Amino acid sequence: RVYSGTPPKAIRRARRVRPLLPLLALRPVKSFLRRRVERTVTGPDERARTRGRMCLWGEVRDAAGAAVTGTLETPEGYAFTAVSAVECAERIAAGRAPPGAWTPSKAFGWRFVTELPGVVVGDLRRS
């Protein structure tokens, strides 16, 4: 499961439009919304990409209920995606990945993310 912090106003708006979601499958509606997004939505500027940070928290539990939690801080999402994609491509080109389709952690090990610039790994806590 993935959770994201969302302002209460956005949650209320999402609940109000929920009954209209089936309309989003209609081609004319999709086309209209795609054009609107292309005209009005922009990503972060260079300053935000350079200075921004992403903070992640994760928890895993086993069948007995024992849990491990941890945190990870990375560069801003767009910047992190670019750096990690280039690193994956370089490792693949160098023959450091098995043949097939893999996630980065499956191809290069679970520590892959910790080897990228700007990544800060927090303490793991067991409960």
Side-chain angles (χ1 to χ4, degrees):
R1 292 185 185 135
V2 176
Y3 301 93
S4 176
T6 306
K9 184 177 178 179
I11 293 170
R12 287 191 299 273
R13 186 179 323 124
R15 286 183 177 144
R16 281 195 310 270
V17 300
R18 185 181 298 164
L20 304 175
L21 290 179
L23 296 175
L24 297 179
L26 300 174
R27 183 170 287 184
V29 174
K30 280 200 247 186
S31 294
F32 167 77
L33 292 173
R34 185 177 297 117
R35 286 190 307 272
R36 183 168 170 92
V37 166
E38 288 169 356
R39 283 193 317 267
T40 61
V41 177
T42 60
D45 61 21
E46 185 175 348
R47 181 174 183 261
R49 288 190 312 274
T50 302
R51 294 184 177 191
R53 304 289 293 165
M54 247 185 345
C55 298
L56 306 155
W57 173 87
E59 176 182 78
V60 293
R61 291 184 178 272
D62 65 14
V68 176
T69 61
T71 60
L72 188 69
E73 185 179 331
T74 72
E76 183 275 334
Y78 287 99
F80 178 73
T81 298
V83 168
S84 61
V86 168
E87 182 63 27
C88 286
E90 288 175 348
R91 290 182 185 205
I92 291 167
R96 295 175 52 195
W102 304 96
T103 63
S105 66
K106 290 289 187 178
F108 311 117
W110 69 270
R111 292 180 191 260
F112 171 74
V113 70
T114 69
E115 299 166 3
L116 298 172
V119 172
V120 178
V121 179
D123 295 329
L124 293 178
R125 295 200 171 104
R126 298 180 193 284
S127 59

